[in-house]
Amino acid sequence: MKLSAELAAFSARLGHEFADPSLLVRALTHGSLSSATRPDNQRLEFLGDRVLGLTIADALLAHDRHATEGQLAPRLNALVRGETCAQIAREIGLGEVMKLGRSEMMTGGRRKDALLGDAMEAVIAAVYLDAGFEAARAVILHLWGKRLDSAEAAAFNPKTALQEWAQAQGMGPPGYRVAERSGPDHAPSFRIVVRLDDGREAEASGTGTKRNIEQAAASAMLAQIGEIP
């Protein structure tokens, strides 16, 4: 099997030349296009998630030899979560080469975080099966490398920090509500308000996942109360 020019270009951006190109094709095939003769990428996604986690955990240990488990765990979570995988997928143009069924194409599947993140993990597994762990590790470190330097900042969770601050003040957990929602389902925009028990409120707006906008609202509240680290 020979890769198309489009997939060959993607393989070059990925930094790996496949001995078995069918693995890459499978990694890019979403369930909406699968059939008895065209397997989807779900099993590869399962494997790629584990390869990614091990590689990043090992890299974090090497990067900061004095960090505790309590410091390393949130950094790992920040680097392997779906949103980060989706960001990297966008950087290498993965969405442009995903193989989707008509329904997913019509609803903007090439831009969905969940699909991009899953496909990124599947591609990692494809590299692993094609050439072994060291090849997969090299691809991961190539794509994630710059993020390792900022892992500590990426691990900061505004919602967790705000909740801990509120509890220290004798308040209950902050409440979040969607004040406004607009835009298409594949790229919704939210305006989210966070409220403390004492009545103080802050808000954030943006396009993306509701979770990300809640984090932005929490950051706005932390800035308001002077608790930004």
Side-chain angles (χ1 to χ4, degrees):
M1 179 183 184
K2 185 177 180 180
L3 289 176
S4 67
E6 185 180 40
L7 288 185
F10 172 77
S11 181
R13 295 196 297 273
L14 183 66
H16 178 74
E17 183 175 349
F18 283 85
D20 181 0
S22 68
L23 286 167
L24 177 59
V25 173
R26 179 176 177 181
L28 296 171
T29 302
H30 183 256
S32 61
L33 195 65
S34 66
S35 67
T37 58
R38 189 201 298 263
D40 64 32
N41 62 9
Q42 289 185 348
R43 287 172 61 84
L44 290 179
E45 172 204 338
F46 171 81
L47 177 59
D49 176 61
R50 276 68 187 172
V51 176
L52 174 63
L54 175 59
T55 299
I56 296 298
D58 181 63
L60 286 171
L61 284 172
H63 194 265
D64 188 345
R65 299 184 181 278
H66 302 290
T68 65
E69 187 277 339
Q71 293 171 318
L72 291 169
R75 298 178 194 176
L76 174 65
N77 290 336
L79 290 173
V80 304
R81 64 190 180 194
E83 293 92 340
T84 303
C85 290
Q87 290 170 6
I88 291 172
R90 289 191 179 92
E91 290 172 6
I92 60 174
L94 190 153
E96 301 164 13
V97 295
M98 279 199 300
K99 298 184 179 300
L100 306 174
R102 180 175 174 79
S103 60
E104 280 295 348
M105 290 183 64
M106 295 293 289
T107 57
R110 297 189 189 281
R111 298 187 295 275
K112 292 180 180 177
D113 273 7
L115 270 64
L116 288 167
D118 290 350
M120 187 69 249
E121 291 175 343
V123 167
I124 289 169
V127 175
Y128 170 78
L129 293 174
D130 187 64
F133 180 75
E134 285 304 318
R137 179 177 180 273
V139 166
I140 292 167
L141 294 181
H142 167 64
L143 298 177
W144 265 258
K146 64 182 181 182
R147 285 174 168 81
L148 288 168
D149 294 329
S150 57
E152 185 174 357
F156 175 69
N157 187 317
K159 288 184 68 176
T160 300
L162 182 59
Q163 180 167 324
E164 291 174 349
W165 181 87
Q167 290 176 339
Q169 309 306 310
M171 302 183 197
Y176 296 84
R177 65 180 176 87
V178 178
E180 185 179 344
R181 186 188 188 285
S182 60
D185 288 341
H186 67 268
S189 293
F190 297 97
R191 181 166 67 86
I192 292 180
V193 177
V194 58
R195 179 183 173 88
L196 300 177
D197 281 355
D198 63 7
R200 281 182 285 186
E201 293 185 342
E203 66 177 63
S205 301
T207 300
T209 65
K210 188 166 70 170
R211 175 183 177 277
N212 286 344
I213 310 305
E214 286 178 347
Q215 296 279 27
S219 290
M221 179 60 81
L222 287 170
Q224 184 181 134
I225 62 180
E227 288 294 319
I228 288 289

